Amino acid sequence: MLRLIRGLATAAKPKLQDIVIVGGGPAGLSLLLALKNTPSTSHLGCTLVEGLSLDGVRKFAQDPPENYTNRVVSLTPKSVDFMNNNLGSWDYIQTDRVKFYDNMIVYDSQDSEARIEFDTSVVPGAGAIAAMTEVLNIQGSLLEKIEALNEELEPEHRANIVEKARVVDIKQGEGDLDWPVVTLDNGESYQTRLLVGADGQNSPVRKYARIESRGWPYNRFGVVGTLKLQYEDWRSVAWQRFLTTGPLAILPLTGDNATFVWSSTPELADTLLKVDETIFPHLINAALVLEEVDLNYIYKALKANPNDQLMIEEIQWRLSRIPEEELEEKYPVPIAEIVSGSRARFPLKLLHADTYTAPRVALVGDAAHTVHPLAGQGLNMGQTDVAALVETIETGIARGQDIGSTLTLDYYTAKAWPSNHVLMGVCDKLHKIFSTDFTPIVMLRGFGFKLINMFGSIKDMMIKAVSGNP
Ligand SMILES: Cc1cc2nc3c(=O)[nH]c(=O)nc-3n(C[C@H](O)[C@H](O)[C@H](O)COP(=O)(O)OP(=O)(O)OC[C@H]3O[C@@H](n4cnc5c(N)ncnc54)[C@H](O)[C@@H]3O)c2cc1C
Ligand SMILES: *[C@@H]1O[C@H](CO)[C@@H](O)[C@H](O)[C@H]1NC(C)=O
Ligand SMILES: *[C@H]1O[C@@H](CO)[C@H](O)[C@@H](O)[C@@H]1NC(C)=O
């Protein structure tokens, strides 16, 4: 701390920039790239600051690991389009590690009749529902495209990335220039016309701007991991089973690979992370098929002894009572293995900033909104933010306005906030409806499922919403 203060005291005058972006996650890198790849904004002086090293991202881009990493997201066709046409980064995506799927099956643990099947292969012109991609693949493609553009741009227009440097202080400038001054822990400082927070859930930029955010923790964790299936599935289906503890999603990857997101209570999440790797695949197979009473019994036994090998037989016996044709037809391909060391958990919460802008400040991505992963929208919403913010900045420039002024920035909140709010409301309500075993709601949701399946047009509407298709 002392060293830091001395460092600050001797720091040189802050470097002036048009835009400083805090955060090198998917949202921050996308914004930096969008600014550099758009003719009317490419001349802006842009610096991105990331607290961590981006070496892992570069390594992934050059020499990807044999197995899928565990942070995988589903990209909507709209996001893929944006990466193709606006960012130009899709050319740098490792497409052999992207899995498009056109079918989604949602079913319920408490009502075997309740099942919705979204099959876009039967909706003319709908295309794929979404593409499963590793977050590292996305970040890697963005970084590679930024580096390629830097080769072409004049030195003074190049994107500047400062990594392994945390923002430790943000203050309003004094004297003639009231632009925010951002101080890094490496002693550098920047004074910027527009400061963008792409700095995640706990956004220091949001705090600096005193933008309130509202929401609540779900008291749930999302447990994730990489799976090997017993055999490659020729169908491209994203499966989601609603359990009383939260939804369990099995999402397809290329070959015999898959990934899962299991929303669970803190107690169950604890068990899921401790269960021995030889037992875990069986536990997932159980959770995809068996009834809640069976599951509660299994959870309890594994909580008491996470290495209780007898549970493997126990689960297999319970599964063997279900006819094989039914298993093949109605459920995912059984899981054979969990990739060693791939399990992790994330606390789930809902958080929405009251606004995305303040004088000389804008928020994008998780800094502006954090959602339940159940509809796979978080990263996609960040892409929509980036598109809206760049459009806002372009308009400001075209009108000869200051890009950091509220006059320019208000359009961004107006454009991005309401649709995100609607989407977040839908995800939140789905979570609430589906994580209960209160009988009237169970009946209602069974009814809802059947109803939705009957009415093709409602289904098409939902599928279009989930896939981000207009
Ligand atoms: C279990 C789970 C499943 C998910 N599934 C999906 C899905 O299927 N589809 C989807 O679209 N989304 C999904 N999401 C959400 C998605 O992962 C996030 O929305 C997305 O990664 C957020 O990107 P971001 O760039 O906004 O923020 P982040 O990735 O959080 O990046 C913020 C960056 O800011 C940096 N930073 C923070 N503070 C400072 C500081 N003081 N100085 C310097 N740097 C700083 C951090 O180091 C970090 O790199 C899921 C999330 C979870 C938890
Ligand atoms: C990849 O996963 C397989 C299956 O779990 C495992 O056998 C192999 O050792 C893993 N490879 C690496 C490099 O971790
Ligand atoms: C996972 O599936 C196997 C078998 O189908 C493939 O050989 C692998 O290439 C694939 N893994 C990745 C990372 O694509």
Side-chain angles (χ1 to χ4, degrees):
M1 196 61 212
L2 255 180
R3 235 185 51 214
L4 189 69
I5 291 167
R6 239 180 276 138
L8 294 183
T10 58
K13 268 186 84 170
K15 216 173 139 188
L16 291 186
Q17 287 285 276
D18 292 308
I19 301 179
V20 169
I21 301 165
V22 183
L29 288 172
S30 297
L31 178 63
L32 181 65
L33 173 53
L35 289 165
K36 288 293 140 189
N37 202 42
T38 302
S40 66
T41 56
S42 66
H43 66 283
L44 296 172
C46 297
T47 291
L48 180 148
V49 182
E50 168 55 49
L52 305 172
S53 163
L54 293 171
D55 286 347
V57 175
R58 284 189 197 95
K59 171 113 177 56
F60 185 97
Q62 276 139 35
D63 179 22
E66 176 191 338
N67 289 318
Y68 276 100
T69 52
N70 63 9
R71 290 293 299 116
V72 181
V73 294
S74 73
L75 285 177
T76 60
K78 192 174 145 199
S79 293
V80 173
D81 247 28
F82 184 66
M83 290 173 176
N84 243 321
N85 300 326
N86 301 66
L87 299 180
S89 60
W90 195 258
D91 290 344
Y92 295 83
I93 277 274
Q94 298 178 37
T95 45
D96 58 340
R97 295 175 86 105
V98 176
K99 173 73 176 179
F100 284 90
Y101 63 87
D102 55 17
N103 198 339
M104 185 164 75
I105 297 177
V106 180
Y107 62 111
D108 195 321
S109 65
Q110 301 205 68
D111 179 350
S112 58
E113 294 290 299
R115 236 177 138 78
I116 318 180
E117 189 165 344
F118 300 110
D119 189 350
T120 51
S121 59
V122 299
V123 181
I129 295 176
M132 297 302 303
T133 329
E134 292 156 283
V135 173
L136 278 169
N137 197 357
I138 297 170
Q139 282 179 288
S141 67
L142 295 167
L143 199 56
E144 292 222 307
K145 174 71 183 183
I146 291 169
E147 281 165 5
L149 276 180
N150 270 353
E151 306 267 303
E152 294 167 21
L153 290 165
E154 298 295 323
E156 68 272 23
H157 293 160
R158 285 180 192 156
N160 179 31
I161 297 182
V162 185
E163 57 190 289
K164 286 178 250 170
R166 286 195 70 75
V167 170
V168 286
D169 186 55
I170 310 173
K171 274 201 182 64
Q172 192 177 339
E174 288 163 358
D176 314 339
L177 203 59
D178 65 352
W179 299 0
V181 179
V182 177
T183 307
L184 316 187
D185 65 359
N186 66 3
E188 281 185 73
S189 65
Y190 292 87
Q191 187 162 22
T192 181
R193 189 186 286 280
L194 172 61
L195 175 64
V196 180
D199 43 0
Q201 280 179 36
N202 301 315
S203 173
V205 172
R206 192 178 67 222
K207 283 182 195 125
Y208 158 75
R210 303 211 176 146
I211 296 175
E212 293 288 324
S213 61
R214 270 152 237 277
W216 42 83
Y218 285 112
N219 195 31
R220 290 285 192 284
F221 285 92
V223 177
V224 301
T226 308
L227 303 170
K228 285 275 173 191
L229 305 178
Q230 284 182 5
Y231 49 91
E232 185 174 341
D233 195 350
W234 53 269
R235 305 165 294 184
S236 306
V237 186
W239 298 87
Q240 185 140 219
R241 188 185 203 205
F242 283 100
L243 301 166
T244 51
T245 42
L248 164 60
I250 304 289
L251 303 157
L253 296 171
T254 57
D256 63 5
N257 308 287
T259 185
F260 73 93
V261 185
W262 191 340
S263 308
S264 29
T265 57
E267 190 191 4
L268 178 58
D270 219 53
T271 306
L272 295 181
L273 288 179
K274 283 191 192 136
V275 166
D276 191 75
E277 287 182 344
T278 54
I279 304 174
F280 192 79
H282 301 277
L283 177 56
I284 291 226
N285 291 334
L288 288 170
V289 176
L290 296 181
E291 295 190 9
E292 296 275 349
V293 272
D294 295 299
L295 292 178
N296 286 331
Y297 167 78
I298 295 162
Y299 298 155
K300 211 166 146 201
L302 289 172
K303 187 188 172 190
N305 177 10
N307 195 13
D308 185 350
Q309 297 287 328
L310 288 176
M311 273 297 132
I312 296 181
E313 256 174 76
E314 180 74 37
I315 290 169
Q316 280 174 336
W317 176 76
R318 281 166 203 252
L319 287 173
S320 70
R321 293 184 303 181
I322 296 161
E324 217 156 289
E325 316 81 73
E326 192 183 326
L327 278 179
E328 268 180 31
E329 209 178 295
K330 292 177 90 172
Y331 299 101
V333 170
I335 311 304
E337 260 184 80
I338 168 110
V339 171
S340 189
S342 69
R343 279 174 292 180
R345 72 170 150 197
F346 302 88
L348 302 181
K349 53 178 111 171
L350 178 92
L351 210 66
H352 200 188
D354 283 355
T355 172
Y356 295 168
T357 53
R360 308 214 168 275
V361 172
L363 304 175
V364 294
D366 276 23
H369 41 68
T370 305
V371 288
H372 196 292
L374 130 167
Q377 292 299 324
L379 194 142
N380 294 295
M381 287 164 75
Q383 296 296 302
T384 317
D385 297 343
V386 167
L389 182 56
V390 172
E391 190 191 324
T392 302
I393 294 170
E394 281 191 271
T395 308
I397 290 174
R399 294 189 181 149
Q401 293 165 351
D402 179 343
I403 59 165
S405 68
T406 46
L407 184 67
T408 304
L409 293 176
D410 279 350
Y411 176 76
Y412 168 54
T413 298
K415 177 141 176 131
W417 197 91
S419 54
N420 281 343
H421 197 67
V422 170
L423 204 55
M424 292 176 78
V426 172
C427 296
D428 183 50
K429 284 189 194 77
L430 280 171
H431 166 79
K432 294 213 168 99
I433 292 171
F434 288 115
S435 57
T436 178
D437 49 8
F438 180 56
T439 309
I441 292 190
V442 171
M443 283 170 61
L444 200 71
R445 90 188 170 207
F447 184 62
F449 268 176
K450 278 171 241 161
L451 210 67
I452 285 173
N453 226 11
M454 275 191 305
F455 294 112
S457 61
I458 299 178
K459 245 173 59 177
D460 293 351
M461 257 158 55
M462 273 185 73
I463 199 73
K464 280 177 183 152
V466 171
S467 62
N469 274 339

